[in-house]
């Protein structure tokens, strides 16, 4: 099956259904112009169609292999990720302070729709990285931001999700760990949350 990104449809939905067009016209996104939005969507669609879409066949046919302690992805996957990082796709909505493009998350969501539709298995990796960037930018200490954000935004590093236990695998409902709010000096007292405790 060949994927062709429906760029015009996604642009229409973003601007008319999601309300991005009026927000853009009102200047809520600063000097971001419609032609820039269209160019980003067109290039995201081209990347999805030409680079990501073909990964499904090689991924299904060849798969990822683990041998002698090393993981080898299917042909084309490594090259696709390198092209992804070099094109700056990981940085679309990331803060400019850390090497990002600081474009609206709504525009990034439209791009993500095309990338995930083209190759969900590929798209989930960058999606987790973008979430890590957002979490660190909003809640990380200055030290963590300096250490992690430049490499995550550039695509040199990727974010991952580690949420499992031996008996659970990918079944999140089978997890036994529970989290409760805790506060300094009184782990069971209910006040404004400061941290979580797991057990």
């Amino acid at each position: 099956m060949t994927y062709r990104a429906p760029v015009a449809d996604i642009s229409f939905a973003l601007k008319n259904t999601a309300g991005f067009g009026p927000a853009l016209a009102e200047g809520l996104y600063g000097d971001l112009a419609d032609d820039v939005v269209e160019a980003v969507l067109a290039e995201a669609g081209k990347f999805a169609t030409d680079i990501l879409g073909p990964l499904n066949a090689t991924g299904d046919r060849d798969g990822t292999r683990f041998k002698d302690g090393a993981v080898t992805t299917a042909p084309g996957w490594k090259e696709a990720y390198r092209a992804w990082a070099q094109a700056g796709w990981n940085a679309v909505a990331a803060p400019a302070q850390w090497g990002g493009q600081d474009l609206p998350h709504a525009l990034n969501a439209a791009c993500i729709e095309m990338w995930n539709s083209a190759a969900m298995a590929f798209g989930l990796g960058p999606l987790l990285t973008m979430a890590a960037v957002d979490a660190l930018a909003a809640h990380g200490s200055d030290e963590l931001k300096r250490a992690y954000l430049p490499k995550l935004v550039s695509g040199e590093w990727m974010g991952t999700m580690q949420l499992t236990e031996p008996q659970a695998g990918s079944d999140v409902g089978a997890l036994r760990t529970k989290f409760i709010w805790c506060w300094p000096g009184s782990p069971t007292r209910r006040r404004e949350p400061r941290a979580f405790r797991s057990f």
Side-chain angles (χ1 to χ4, degrees):
M1 183 169 105
T2 304
Y3 176 77
R4 183 178 170 91
V7 177
D9 292 341
I10 287 177
S11 175
F12 180 84
L14 175 67
K15 293 177 184 175
N16 298 288
T17 306
F20 190 80
L24 191 64
E26 291 174 24
L28 295 178
Y29 298 117
D31 61 356
L32 180 62
D34 187 61
D35 62 331
V36 173
V37 171
E38 288 301 320
V40 169
L41 292 174
E43 288 302 312
K46 183 177 174 185
F47 195 88
T49 300
D50 298 342
I51 306 295
L52 300 182
L55 295 179
N56 289 320
T58 60
D60 289 344
R61 184 181 59 244
D62 300 311
T64 298
R65 305 201 189 288
F66 180 72
K67 183 178 179 185
D68 298 328
V71 174
T72 303
T73 58
W77 285 69
K78 184 190 230 179
E79 296 79 10
Y81 185 77
R82 283 192 178 136
W84 165 274
Q86 288 172 353
W89 289 122
N90 213 45
V92 171
Q97 175 184 3
W98 304 107
Q101 299 173 45
D102 222 1
L103 291 170
H105 283 278
L107 179 56
N108 194 41
C111 295
I112 290 168
E113 171 64 25
M114 290 184 273
W115 300 325
N116 284 347
S117 295
M120 177 67 81
F122 179 92
L124 289 176
L127 187 67
L128 291 170
T129 303
M130 291 173 200
V133 167
D134 289 346
L136 279 168
H139 305 289
S141 68
D142 289 341
E143 181 182 8
L144 287 175
K145 288 177 184 178
R146 283 191 301 275
Y148 288 93
L149 285 176
K151 292 182 185 240
L152 287 168
V153 171
S154 72
E156 182 180 346
W157 291 353
M158 292 183 76
T160 64
M161 179 173 56
Q162 307 298 325
L163 181 61
T164 192
E165 293 172 356
Q167 80 286 350
S170 62
D171 181 2
V172 177
L175 295 176
R176 291 189 207 135
T177 301
K178 69 178 185 177
F179 293 85
I180 62 166
W181 295 109
C182 70
W183 297 265
S186 181
T188 58
R189 196 166 163 193
R190 303 272 174 198
R191 285 196 190 177
E192 181 181 334
R194 302 239 194 275
F196 286 105
R197 182 179 76 180
S198 65
F199 55 94

